[in-house]
Structures are given as structure tokens and as C-alpha cells.
Amino acid sequence: MHTFEEIQALISANNLSVAESYLNTFTEKTAKWHYLYSLIALKKSWFDSALSHLETAISLAPNETLYAETKAALMSRHHGYSDDYYHRPRRRHNDCCCCLDDCCCQFDCCDLICLDTCCECMGGDLISCI
């Protein structure tokens, strides 16, 4: 029987097929088992599977902070995709969100756009020009 430490070392060494085959020999799928399987899924870019296994691990061991931290890291991966070509956040520039990139507004246009979208879903229209 293999230990979780051996499997974690295999995952760290990117020997994923062996790590996965060792994990599959376990009959009891504990929180640690689901955590290690999520690491394999992450390395394979199977993000939905990784998230599912992390959520299972967290539900089985809610006090294990490593599992929650790994989930938080996984969930924050999308932030890089919201940058534009010049690597600026699309919506927020210098802690300000404006209609124009120079942050001339005294209010948050992004919030108004969200409100307008909600109104339009319900048949109304808060800002007719958007």
C-alpha cells in the first residue's frame, strides 16, 4: 500500500499517471484522497474535476485550511483573463471605474451598467443609451 506522502511526491514530480494509479488503489476516499486527486486534475488542466474534488475534500474536512486555500487559488485563476491588451483591468483603473479611462466620474458607471442590465431583464430601462 502506498502512502499519501508518496503520492504527493509523485504529483510534485509530475508523474501523474503513477500517482493516479496509486490513488485508485485506495478503497476509502478520504478528504486527503480527494485533495490529492484535485492536484492531479489541476496539473491536467481539468479544472471542473479539480474543483469538485476540492469541494468534496472541504466538506469532509472543513477545518483543513490547505484545502480551502487551494480552492481559493483555483477560483482566482480567471483574473488574468480579464485584463486587456495593455494588461490593465478592464473595469477598474486606479481603483476607479468610469465611463472614460481618465476616471473623470464621481460615481461608479460599472454599477450603473449592472443596474441598467437588471432593469432591462425585467422589462425596464435605467439608462437608455446603453
Side-chain angles (χ1 to χ4, degrees), residues 112-113 115-117 119-120 123-130:
L112 289 174
I113 291 169
L115 285 171
D116 181 57
T117 302
C119 285
E120 287 172 356
D125 192 16
L126 180 67
I127 304 170
S128 61
C129 64
I130 297 179

Side-chain angles (χ1 to χ4, degrees), residues 48-114:
D48 290 340
S49 178
L51 180 60
S52 175
H53 282 286
L54 280 171
E55 288 174 342
T56 302
I58 291 167
S59 71
L60 293 172
N63 295 329
E64 181 59 59
T65 58
L66 177 62
Y67 305 158
E69 289 168 0
T70 304
K71 180 183 175 188
L74 171 62
M75 298 306 290
S76 69
R77 292 175 57 91
H78 77 282
H79 290 302
Y81 297 110
S82 66
D83 290 348
D84 66 10
Y85 182 77
Y86 299 103
H87 307 292
R88 296 175 302 183
R90 285 182 193 234
R91 291 189 172 208
R92 297 217 177 258
H93 299 282
N94 302 323
D95 295 328
C96 175
C97 178
C98 299
C99 304
L100 304 173
D101 279 343
D102 63 359
C103 285
C104 61
C105 304
Q106 296 297 318
F107 56 89
D108 194 341
C109 292
C110 295
D111 291 339
L112 289 174
I113 291 169
C114 289

Side-chain angles (χ1 to χ4, degrees), residues 10-24:
L10 288 167
I11 294 168
S12 295
N14 284 325
N15 198 342
L16 303 180
S17 59
V18 174
E20 187 172 11
S21 69
Y22 286 0
L23 267 180
N24 287 330

